[in-house]
Amino acid sequence: MLAITDLSKSYGENSVLREVSFSMTTGERVALMGPSGSGKSTLLNCISGIDRPNSGSIELNGQSIGGMDERQLCELRRDSISTIFQFFHLLPTLTMRENIEFPMQLIRLAEKERKKRVDELIHEVQLDHRADAMPDELSGGERQRVAIARALATRPVLILADEPTGNLDTTTGESILDLLETVSGRYQTAMLLVTHSKRVTRICQRTVSMKDGRIVDDEK
Amino acid sequence: MMKSDQSGPHSLIWTKVIWRQWCREPKVPAVLILILALGVAVFLAVRLANRAAVTGFSLFTESISGDSDLLVRPRAGSFPESDLMSLREKMGATPATLFPILDTTAAAGPGAEAEIFRIIGTDFVALPNAVYLSDDETGSPIAAQTDGFSGMLGKPDQVFISRVFADESGKDTGDKLQIYVEGRQKELTISGIVESDPLRPQVPRRLLVFDLPGAQKLTGNEGLLSRLEVKIPPGPDFQNNLQLAREKLTEWAGDRFVVETPGQRKDSATRMSAAFRLNLTILSTLALIVGAYLILQAMEAAVIRRRSEIAILRCLGVTPGEIQKAWLMESLVLGLLGSALGVMLGVFLAQGMVGAIASTVNTLYYETTSRSAAFDPVEAGFAFLFGVVISLLAGSLPAREAANTPAAHAVATGIRGGGLKLLQHPLPGWVFLLLGLLVVKLPPFVTSQGSTIPVGGYAGALFFLLGISILAGHLFCLIARMLAAGNALPERVYASSQFRLPGGRHRLAAAGLLAAFGMSAAMGILVASFETTLNSWIRQMLKADVYVAAAGAQSAISENKIPGEVWKEILATPGIEAADRLRRYSIHFEGKDTWLAGSEYNNSERRLQLIWIKAPENTAADALTVREGDTYPAWVSESFSRVFQRSLNDRFPVPTPDGPKSVVVKGIYADYGSERGTVLLSRRFTSQWYEDDALNNLALYLQEGIDEETWLADFQNKFPGLVARTNRTLREDALRLFRQTFSVTYALEGIAIIIAVAGLGLAMVGLLLERREELSTLKEIGMTRRRIAAAAMWEGLGLSIAGVVGGLLLSLILGWILVYVVNRQSFGWTLNFTVPWLTIAALSCAMLATGSAVAWFTGYRIANLKSDLEEE
């Protein structure tokens, strides 16, 4: 599903990624670990098309991301790849329901189908009672659940999660991990989870470790 | 996947993100809409008021007899009634009705500022014909009152007044009315009221209508007319008959008379004020442009504030183009709402402004009857469109910045940006300065109407403004050093650090302040130069002790004069040592109206001294009396020299009632009293040509030891119909009139400064919002809210210093352009370049103080906002 080959990226003299190669299959959950500055976030940015590598290739379902123009990259993020952030990044002017619905509106999904999916996702993340709450009325854990529901809304093949539990307490973090595991299994969505926490690895089939821009370990 | 047919993502972003934000924080868009509305309103109001001042130009008879089809008027002097005989013979059976008109003035009371009555004398016997010649069914409002006619024929004391005046003064038929004609008080009896008719031009308020012989007798113009109005009967042959009448009239007129349509007459009169109106329009555009700058700042601040949301949208797959469209849609909606409100406000504001503009136009150019500005859909549409375009232009930069906002991951790394990239490189600045130097002295553009527009001056001013705005960023390193100098407090050190590597936003904020300060100070320089020049002109010109004129002389259209027997009686009054005499006549010369003046100066040491642009060889009092064969020596005013392109030793014929007379230019003098231009000759010749012994102005030199005030009191008892002012009061009146002329300018300048300072506040909002994380850190390391506000204050002060220093340089350059290029090319006046240092110093202090205060307040408010990290 995802194949990365000899990916390199540098900012001036500073090499951030050095010939990184790895792959993921459909529905696979992979933890990406490593110290600060090891290149995890840059790798995530390159996969989502926000940043462009200097060399190497990224293929998603056989389609090369490197050759895509800005519009195609936007469509890729709209249709195939979703991101979950450490700080949730919900749109503050929208209710919880609208936040989840928003990406589906972007891809112009019919209203009936949208409503059906929103109800299903709200139920999935167990927030039926808060559907019309604004983001600032939700707790951190609830906001991350909304972010997960939003990420799943367009049925992407890959979800990139950047420290998804990094801003949550242990109990909430655990419940979010359980949720990620559940939805990934149910929707057969692959997940690449960037983390510093060993706890995250418990829901992953593989753990890839990075250091100084290189993959130093890839264990199942 | 099921897809629905919906509007694009930009509409979705607009409705779900931007509109929602407006609903949550309605104050921000409301303020922006109000700012834009104010800009559009000022712009529209000035244009509507200008238009009213032009459309208010009236031939006065339109409201009585309806529009005439042709006008015949003498090139110089009056139209002898005896000429009508030969004209009627010439016209033969041509289907045209001739209406002889005497059009002159009288004062409503004593005093220089007395309101002027317009006296129209017309043939009451022929007037009923207007009913049958009119396209509409209303006919003449006077003709309808035929009962009043028979008793009025030929009587100088029987008058019709306007309905407006009758209602205002409470007068009615049979009541008495006092007026001042030829320096004497006259009592009239009101015979009827000229009713206003919605189908006709508005009847001017101060219109007095007499039967022609009565008006001639009353005003001492027996046997004389001002013009002839010609009406062609309506019908299928109208155009042919009009053409035939025009041909015959032109043939008859020769070089003594001008044959023109009422439209041509109006154009010729109103073109005189074109430059004045253009300057007001430019100033009002300035208010709108500064408003646009404010919108730019505010929208940019909004983009920064929403940067994290934009980043999320990018992560969700929204393209930069769609984001840009959504933000442009915001500026479009702002533009539509602001412009719509502005148009409504503008119509109201125009009513207030029309009085001020009409008063200036009345004083300087021609009489306008406008008291209110009518709604004009074309002007309103133009202002609306201008407001929308300005709003879109202002929003385009923030929209582009929104589109370029990096996705969420990059936001976390704290990338800063914003402001015009153009402002960050010095090269374009130098290029603009060079362009400014190249274009500034280009000759003016002359319109088909003959008005001159100093395009090179305006383009040069724009290039200098852009150039200095770009280069002003170089001041920041000096400001950084200045703020951190000595044992600086942490707030100053932090503020100073912001200027070490200034971004586009700092430069944009300083450029906005610089532009507003520079333009306002430059206008200050123009006004000061005008005032200094006028003062020195008045000092040199006004040497006499007492000045005498007919009542109402202060109006540009006043034709009131001091008859020969009256001024001779004055000169016989004890205590007068010498006198200067002046008589001026309006002439039609080379397609434009100008003045022909006859002067007689006394020979004393104290006599009037003109200020020379090009001095004659002989400046003695009797220099103009020495003829060179058939050529008469003349001194022409600077405006005449510019408008008609005449210089020293040029010879040309001027029209007079005695036929064309050849004059030679012996000197060119400064005259700040009129833009129409004057050809000054000896009164010895003009009084012969015009067979006229009257004067417009009389300057009296009293014998030594005579108390002016006492003498004046005696004089006014003896001649109550004349205006006499001492040297001091005349100076004061002239300067007051001057200040009144510039009152609209001051108001527009004030608006520009207020908007610029508000712009600084918004710029500070943008800068501080962008640094919310930094501010959060400052709080964590122990900085109080007040200290953060103090740091913002120092930063605002730094920006204001850059604005003031750059603005000062800009103002000197723009001031120079206004004085030596724009003013000279528009009005033809040479002014002494004067910098009002005290005013500029006060303006600088005000801008530094308000800039610092606004920045402190902004810092104080934002210091309490949570950072992006805290917010989530």
Side-chain angles (χ1 to χ4, degrees):
Chain A
M1 190 274 301
L2 177 71
I4 296 171
T5 313
D6 294 335
L7 200 71
S8 295
K9 172 74 185 172
S10 58
Y11 296 104
E13 304 258 307
N14 183 22
S15 288
V16 186
L17 295 177
R18 299 163 197 252
E19 295 175 346
V20 172
S21 298
F22 89 108
S23 60
M24 286 175 69
T25 55
T26 304
E28 188 180 20
R29 290 184 297 280
V30 177
L32 186 59
M33 297 189 71
S36 294
S38 59
K40 307 185 297 292
S41 293
T42 306
L43 179 60
L44 225 57
N45 286 350
C46 288
I47 296 170
S48 63
I50 285 167
D51 218 340
R52 287 183 186 269
N54 299 113
S55 61
S57 71
I58 305 169
E59 286 185 5
L60 187 71
N61 284 338
Q63 205 180 2
S64 170
I65 292 175
M68 289 182 178
D69 61 19
E70 186 60 33
R71 172 162 284 280
Q72 289 169 316
L73 287 172
C74 284
E75 283 168 7
L76 177 82
R77 290 197 290 270
R78 230 179 245 189
D79 300 333
S80 309
I81 300 176
S82 291
T83 310
I84 297 168
F85 306 97
Q86 180 180 2
F87 297 111
F88 328 123
H89 288 321
L90 300 179
L91 291 166
T93 54
L94 306 187
T95 63
M96 188 193 102
R97 173 181 282 279
E98 287 171 329
N99 260 294
I100 298 168
E101 191 183 3
F102 193 80
M104 292 186 276
Q105 288 177 300
L106 285 177
I107 59 169
R108 303 186 185 192
L109 200 62
E111 190 179 357
K112 197 175 163 192
E113 174 67 11
R114 286 201 317 262
K115 300 293 175 203
K116 189 177 144 217
R117 277 199 205 177
V118 169
D119 289 340
E120 184 186 309
L121 287 165
I122 287 176
H123 184 67
E124 188 76 70
V125 297
Q126 298 161 24
L127 285 172
D128 307 67
H129 58 296
R130 315 281 335 248
D132 294 316
M134 298 303 285
D136 57 6
E137 295 166 352
L138 301 173
S139 69
E142 286 172 327
R143 286 189 215 184
Q144 195 60 301
R145 282 169 186 272
V146 178
I148 291 167
R150 183 179 67 182
L152 288 165
T154 54
R155 304 273 159 86
V157 291
L158 174 64
I159 288 179
L160 304 172
D162 191 359
E163 299 279 6
T165 57
N167 204 31
L168 302 172
D169 61 62
T170 312
T171 318
T172 314
E174 286 299 321
S175 71
I176 289 296
L177 288 176
D178 291 340
L179 178 64
L180 286 172
E181 188 176 19
T182 311
V183 295
S184 164
R186 179 161 305 152
Y187 298 103
Q188 276 300 291
T189 308
M191 281 187 186
L192 181 60
L193 296 100
V194 170
T195 183
H196 283 103
S197 165
K198 278 275 181 196
R199 285 186 296 130
V200 176
T201 58
R202 78 167 169 81
I203 64 159
C204 298
Q205 288 104 349
R206 272 166 66 200
T207 301
V208 175
S209 300
M210 288 187 73
K211 191 178 177 189
D212 296 334
R214 293 178 201 278
I215 292 181
V216 292
D217 198 10
D218 187 347
E219 62 181 59
K220 295 204 175 181
Chain B
M1 189 178 283
M2 253 197 310
K3 302 256 176 169
S4 69
D5 190 18
Q6 294 174 6
S7 52
H10 56 279
S11 305
L12 191 64
I13 299 165
W14 158 247
T15 51
K16 297 278 180 179
V17 180
I18 300 173
W19 176 248
R20 290 280 178 92
Q21 191 67 35
W22 280 27
C23 295
R24 287 177 74 173
E25 289 179 38
K27 274 188 212 159
V28 177
V31 167
L32 288 182
I33 288 167
L34 275 176
I35 289 164
L36 188 66
L38 186 66
V40 171
V42 170
F43 180 77
L44 177 64
V46 167
R47 289 186 68 89
L48 284 180
N50 273 343
R51 182 175 267 266
V54 173
T55 51
F57 171 79
S58 172
L59 291 167
F60 299 97
T61 41
E62 288 171 359
S63 50
I64 307 164
S65 58
D67 267 335
S68 51
D69 301 306
L70 291 169
L71 302 174
V72 183
R73 64 185 174 110
R75 286 188 190 278
S78 297
F79 189 142
E81 210 171 356
S82 53
D83 282 342
L84 279 179
M85 190 79 82
S86 65
L87 177 58
R88 286 188 206 281
E89 274 174 29
K90 179 78 187 173
M91 295 297 282
T94 311
T97 307
L98 310 180
F99 290 94
I101 303 287
L102 178 68
D103 184 344
T104 185
T105 57
E113 290 170 42
E115 261 198 287
I116 291 289
F117 277 119
R118 195 86 199 196
I119 291 181
I120 294 290
T122 188
D123 185 353
F124 275 14
V125 179
L127 198 59
N129 289 336
V131 178
Y132 312 109
L133 295 171
S134 180
D135 279 334
D136 59 62
E137 292 173 357
T138 56
S140 160
I142 286 185
Q145 304 177 32
T146 45
D147 291 353
F149 270 13
S150 54
M152 277 185 78
L153 293 177
K155 290 191 176 169
D157 60 347
Q158 301 286 314
V159 67
F160 271 84
I161 62 170
S162 73
R163 166 55 64 197
V164 186
F165 180 59
D167 290 346
E168 273 179 20
S169 60
K171 290 192 184 296
D172 206 347
T173 308
D175 289 350
K176 300 289 180 194
L177 175 69
Q178 310 285 340
I179 61 168
Y180 286 80
V181 184
E182 305 270 295
R184 310 255 187 221
Q185 190 178 358
K186 307 270 178 172
E187 189 176 75
L188 308 173
T189 305
I190 298 168
S191 293
I193 312 289
V194 187
E195 298 294 342
S196 288
D197 187 317
L199 296 174
R200 293 186 171 285
Q202 193 189 354
V203 178
R205 195 170 142 271
R206 296 266 176 182
L207 180 69
L208 302 181
V209 185
F210 294 81
D211 182 34
L212 181 62
Q216 287 170 325
K217 198 169 169 188
L218 177 80
T219 58
N221 285 302
E222 281 97 341
L224 297 175
L225 304 174
S226 303
R227 64 177 178 272
L228 195 65
E229 298 198 359
V230 183
K231 287 193 80 143
I232 310 293
D237 290 333
F238 176 81
Q239 282 303 333
N240 288 340
N241 291 336
L242 180 67
Q243 182 61 25
L244 184 65
R246 188 167 195 157
E247 280 168 13
K248 288 196 172 182
L249 286 168
T250 309
E251 206 176 306
W252 174 84
D255 57 5
R256 283 182 61 207
F257 297 92
V258 185
V259 180
E260 58 195 351
T261 62
Q264 285 169 325
R265 174 82 191 101
K266 189 171 179 172
D267 284 350
S268 139
T270 55
R271 93 165 55 116
M272 289 186 294
S273 64
F276 166 73
R277 286 180 283 120
L278 176 72
N279 279 343
L280 280 185
T281 302
I282 287 169
L283 274 170
S284 63
T285 311
L286 171 66
L288 190 54
I289 288 173
V290 179
Y293 161 74
L294 203 58
I295 288 173
L296 187 152
Q297 293 278 27
M299 287 185 63
E300 211 185 18
V303 167
I304 296 160
R305 195 157 188 182
R306 294 190 209 140
R307 192 174 267 176
S308 62
E309 292 160 62
I310 299 167
I312 298 164
L313 292 171
R314 295 289 314 278
C315 287
L316 292 175
V318 180
T319 64
E322 287 159 350
I323 289 175
Q324 191 166 2
K325 272 190 214 164
W327 257 260
L328 275 178
M329 203 179 273
E330 179 177 32
S331 41
L332 178 70
V333 174
L334 279 175
L336 291 171
L337 293 175
S339 300
L341 183 64
V343 166
M344 286 187 269
L345 282 176
V347 174
F348 284 108
L349 196 59
Q351 308 310 322
M353 217 174 257
V354 75
I357 291 178
S359 151
T360 303
V361 169
N362 270 332
T363 310
L364 296 180
Y365 303 99
Y366 51 83
E367 177 157 12
T368 173
T369 55
S370 295
R371 291 292 175 270
S372 65
F375 177 78
D376 182 87
V378 176
E379 288 292 356
F382 181 62
F384 182 84
L385 201 66
F386 195 27
V388 173
V389 169
I390 285 276
S391 175
L392 276 173
L393 284 176
S396 63
L397 184 74
R400 208 180 64 184
E401 193 181 336
N404 292 335
T405 299
H409 304 27
V411 171
T413 62
I415 290 172
R416 286 186 194 176
L420 282 166
K421 284 202 169 60
L422 182 74
L423 295 173
Q424 293 177 2
H425 306 288
L427 185 64
W430 293 113
V431 171
F432 279 128
L433 290 188
L434 188 66
L435 281 173
L437 280 174
L438 287 175
V439 303
V440 74
K441 291 291 271 182
L442 285 177
F445 171 74
V446 182
T447 67
S448 56
Q449 287 195 325
S451 295
T452 50
I453 300 172
V455 281
Y458 286 130
L462 181 68
F463 286 137
F464 281 114
L465 191 155
L466 290 171
I468 294 174
S469 297
I470 292 169
L471 294 174
H474 291 288
L475 289 169
F476 287 145
C477 53
L478 289 174
I479 291 168
R481 268 188 242 160
M482 194 180 76
L483 287 175
N487 189 17
L489 292 168
E491 298 90 299
R492 272 170 59 189
V493 172
Y494 178 71
S496 156
S497 70
Q498 303 303 321
F499 292 105
R500 281 184 208 136
L501 286 170
R505 190 162 291 110
H506 276 95
R507 293 171 195 272
L508 190 63
L513 288 175
L514 178 155
F517 182 90
M519 287 192 272
S520 296
M523 280 306 295
I525 290 174
L526 176 66
V527 175
S529 302
F530 222 131
E531 193 161 354
T532 313
T533 310
L534 201 70
N535 257 322
S536 98
W537 180 66
I538 288 172
R539 256 199 309 276
Q540 188 153 344
M541 293 288 287
L542 303 186
K543 301 280 189 187
D545 301 307
V546 174
Y547 291 83
V548 182
Q554 203 150 288
S555 170
I557 50 94
S558 171
E559 290 182 14
N560 303 353
K561 51 192 188 289
I562 313 168
E565 66 273 16
V566 176
W567 67 258
K568 282 170 190 160
E569 193 183 336
I570 294 170
L571 291 187
T573 311
I576 296 173
E577 184 182 294
D580 294 331
R581 278 154 270 189
L582 184 84
R583 176 74 171 115
R584 61 175 193 179
Y585 306 94
S586 180
I587 59 168
H588 192 72
F589 178 70
E590 295 185 351
K592 296 183 179 111
D593 289 333
T594 186
W595 297 112
L596 181 72
S599 66
E600 271 178 291
Y601 301 128
N602 75 87
N603 267 319
S604 75
E605 282 294 304
R606 290 200 294 156
R607 72 186 164 81
L608 176 142
Q609 301 282 343
L610 295 170
I611 295 177
W612 297 107
I613 304 296
K614 287 181 182 170
E617 287 170 16
N618 180 4
T619 59
D622 56 357
L624 292 176
T625 60
V626 187
R627 278 169 62 174
E628 296 173 12
D630 285 340
T631 305
Y632 298 84
W635 295 335
V636 300
S637 71
E638 191 184 10
S639 300
F640 182 91
S641 166
R642 179 189 64 86
V643 172
F644 298 101
Q645 298 288 303
R646 296 294 198 283
S647 195
L648 282 187
N649 299 317
D650 282 354
R651 284 164 195 266
F652 54 93
V654 290
T656 76
D658 197 33
K661 303 287 177 191
S662 175
V663 299
V664 57
V665 179
K666 290 289 187 184
I668 300 172
Y669 64 95
D671 178 3
Y672 303 100
S674 165
E675 283 171 51
R676 283 174 65 171
T678 305
V679 179
L680 188 69
L681 293 137
S682 167
R683 202 182 74 85
R684 184 184 297 180
F685 306 129
T686 57
S687 60
Q688 285 170 15
W689 301 338
Y690 280 81
E691 294 176 0
D692 170 35
D693 203 17
L695 295 178
N696 292 97
N697 299 93
L698 184 62
L700 303 174
Y701 299 80
L702 301 183
Q703 287 164 356
E704 241 184 277
I706 290 190
D707 179 53
E708 285 170 19
E709 301 294 338
T710 318
W711 190 91
L712 201 62
D714 290 344
F715 177 89
Q716 277 171 337
N717 281 334
K718 200 171 171 188
F719 301 98
L722 295 176
V723 183
R725 282 176 290 189
T726 62
N727 192 307
R728 184 178 55 80
T729 51
L730 187 61
R731 284 178 196 211
E732 284 169 2
D733 285 355
L735 288 174
R736 186 176 46 75
L737 197 66
F738 164 81
R739 289 187 185 116
Q740 175 194 317
T741 306
F742 279 92
S743 57
V744 178
T745 311
Y746 293 134
L748 293 174
E749 267 183 68
I751 290 173
I753 288 283
I754 291 166
I755 292 178
V757 173
L760 172 70
L762 285 168
M764 288 304 298
V765 169
L767 287 164
L768 295 175
L769 279 175
E770 196 174 48
R771 299 205 298 264
R772 266 190 289 175
E773 276 74 24
E774 269 178 43
L775 299 185
S776 182
T777 309
L778 289 175
K779 279 197 281 183
E780 279 166 20
I781 60 175
M783 232 173 166
T784 61
R785 190 179 177 189
R786 282 181 185 280
R787 294 192 83 166
I788 289 173
M793 184 200 74
W794 285 112
E795 196 174 336
L797 181 66
L799 287 171
S800 305
I801 290 171
V804 166
V805 172
L808 187 62
L809 178 65
L810 178 69
S811 70
L812 294 173
I813 295 172
L814 292 190
W816 181 88
I817 293 174
L818 286 171
V819 168
Y820 291 111
V821 182
V822 173
N823 174 69
R824 199 174 278 178
Q825 290 184 358
S826 299
F827 302 101
W829 290 338
T830 300
L831 305 178
N832 300 326
F833 186 78
T834 309
V835 181
W837 290 111
L838 205 63
T839 311
I840 289 181
L843 187 65
S844 308
C845 292
M847 189 161 254
L848 294 176
T850 47
S852 309
V854 164
W856 186 94
F857 182 73
T858 312
Y860 192 74
R861 289 290 301 267
I862 290 180
N864 248 21
L865 284 181
K866 289 178 177 175
S867 72
D868 280 346
L869 301 180
E870 289 170 306
E871 248 182 355
E872 304 292 344

